[in-house]
Amino acid sequence: MGAMSVRTQSSEPPESSGAPHRAGFACFVGRPNAGKSTLTNALVGQKVAITANQPQTTRHTVRGIVHRPDAQLILVDTPGLHKPRTLLGERLNDIVRTTWAEVDVIGFCLPANEKLGPGDRFIAKELASIKKTPKIAIVTKTDLVDGRTLAEQLIAIDQLGTELGFEWAEIVPVSAVGDEQVDLLADLIVPLLPEGPALYPEGDLTDEPEQVMVAELIREAALEGVRDELPHSIAVVVEEMLPREDRPADKPLLDIHAFVYIERPSQKGIIIGPKGKRLKEVGIKSRKQIEALLGTPVFLDLHVKVAKDWQRDPRQLRKLGF
């Protein structure tokens, strides 16, 4: 089976004397719902990526930043790699490949409670073609299985690498929910990063422009409950975010004007709902989350617009930020 190293014990804290500071980028890949966002949140210690059981919700590069005395780890969240059916799909896949080639470490998330499937092989094959970047297999959701199932999964993952002609730098079981081994994972990623000073000031948790995060929150709320009817055909663009004038300093208000773009007029009714009730709920829900994110009261102005077949139109894609 080859010399497989599976880490489970907690590793020694790095000696502060003379160990060089490291800083670099890592990204987590894996099928939808493999636990990527949950893991990002556990490592960063704050909700950054949007978690959802649906592919393609994280369309933009959300970076979570893990600050440690000995290192700074910047997590780049690439959109999921999938078999493209549309121009948007192809463009997303290109973004994924370039990102993978540019990061210092790739963490491949595989849930402990699901056998390796064709989706995993598809991603692993792509990973095999990126020769230089070290790859860590991260077995997520270990809290959902017994020891034997976990052992079988670890062996299967080790063999998958051998089969495709590469070796995992590490194979690490974690449970982000139970907070098991999450620090260990960071300990194992850090030595694979290049030496260098911190790239972001302490205190930054994400360098995602606020507008993009706000758009993500609105998109999430708009998709809630209608994912089956409109899986990806919603894009949200925040046109402007402006502090309301003539407000006293201790009572600020942020005006946010956003458009929810859909592909076809028939989808308008689904988003708006009877007598506008659904859109109102979307507004209330996302406003609460935006206020929590930005720490300021918000007035949210939402409009639904039809952008015909935006997923297939390069001009619209550019306008919507892809």
Side-chain angles (χ1 to χ4, degrees):
M1 193 179 94
M4 169 173 122
S5 68
V6 175
R7 299 295 185 99
T8 48
Q9 80 293 355
S10 157
S11 60
E12 291 297 304
E15 295 299 316
S16 50
S17 64
H21 186 279
R22 295 175 179 273
F25 295 84
C27 72
F28 294 145
V29 302
R31 282 183 294 125
N33 206 15
K36 302 185 290 287
S37 299
T38 315
L39 191 57
T40 300
N41 296 338
L43 276 164
V44 176
Q46 185 177 334
K47 187 173 162 64
V48 266
I50 313 288
T51 50
N53 302 342
Q54 187 72 10
Q56 302 304 345
T57 42
T58 322
R59 277 249 170 91
H60 296 270
T61 306
V62 177
R63 296 181 177 87
I65 301 172
V66 183
H67 296 280
R68 296 168 49 127
D70 60 326
Q72 188 179 62
L73 169 62
I74 298 128
L75 302 171
V76 189
D77 211 13
T78 48
L81 186 84
H82 58 108
K83 300 195 167 139
R85 287 188 299 277
T86 60
L87 181 66
L88 172 66
E90 279 170 37
R91 190 160 299 178
L92 285 172
N93 282 355
D94 291 342
I95 296 171
V96 172
R97 289 195 189 90
T98 27
T99 307
W100 287 5
E102 286 162 6
V103 296
D104 302 300
V105 184
I106 301 170
F108 184 16
C109 296
L110 298 132
N113 61 336
E114 293 173 35
K115 282 208 162 26
L116 299 186
D120 298 318
R121 284 179 190 281
F122 178 71
I123 296 172
K125 245 193 205 114
E126 290 289 334
L127 283 180
S129 67
I130 294 164
K131 300 270 185 273
K132 286 198 180 85
T133 317
K135 304 164 221 6
I136 291 183
I138 303 166
V139 189
T140 57
K141 309 187 184 187
T142 54
D143 49 305
L144 301 178
V145 297
D146 60 19
R148 187 169 162 196
T149 312
L150 179 58
E152 284 168 2
Q153 186 73 322
L154 295 170
I155 292 168
I157 291 167
D158 185 47
Q159 285 170 344
L160 179 64
T162 313
E163 222 174 280
L164 294 170
F166 68 88
E167 201 171 319
W168 301 106
E170 302 280 355
I171 299 177
V172 198
V174 298
S175 161
V177 176
D179 208 15
E180 298 276 318
Q181 306 256 101
V182 173
D183 290 339
L184 170 67
L185 175 62
D187 291 346
L188 296 175
I189 293 175
V190 165
L192 300 169
L193 302 177
E195 291 178 18
L199 302 165
Y200 288 86
E202 180 79 63
D204 281 10
L205 287 168
T206 167
D207 80 337
E208 184 72 349
E210 287 176 342
Q211 262 166 279
V212 176
M213 289 187 87
V214 166
E216 258 319 90
L217 289 171
I218 296 170
R219 185 166 181 269
E220 269 291 278
L223 276 172
E224 194 97 338
V226 295
R227 290 180 189 283
D228 302 341
E229 298 162 86
L230 309 169
H232 310 317
S233 39
I234 298 182
V236 175
V237 175
V238 173
E239 290 287 313
E240 55 178 19
M241 286 169 51
L242 295 168
R244 176 83 57 96
E245 286 174 16
D246 343 312
R247 294 280 294 211
D250 57 340
K251 288 218 171 123
L253 181 68
L254 189 65
D255 282 316
I256 299 181
H257 300 278
F259 290 104
V260 178
Y261 285 97
I262 47 181
E263 289 191 291
R264 292 185 288 285
S266 60
Q267 297 169 337
K268 216 167 176 171
I270 302 174
I271 286 288
I272 294 172
K275 295 200 172 126
K277 189 165 160 260
R278 207 170 163 277
L279 188 64
K280 202 169 162 188
E281 283 167 10
V282 169
I284 293 169
K285 184 171 181 193
S286 51
R287 195 189 75 229
K288 276 195 190 125
Q289 294 182 323
I290 294 164
E291 290 182 338
L293 174 78
L294 303 177
T296 165
V298 163
F299 171 78
L300 180 59
D301 177 41
L302 276 187
H303 293 277
V304 179
K305 280 189 165 183
V306 179
K308 208 166 153 346
D309 288 331
W310 62 265
Q311 297 201 9
R312 289 183 178 74
D313 175 349
R315 217 180 63 244
Q316 300 270 20
L317 280 175
R318 264 198 307 280
K319 195 174 98 193
L320 298 174
F322 294 108

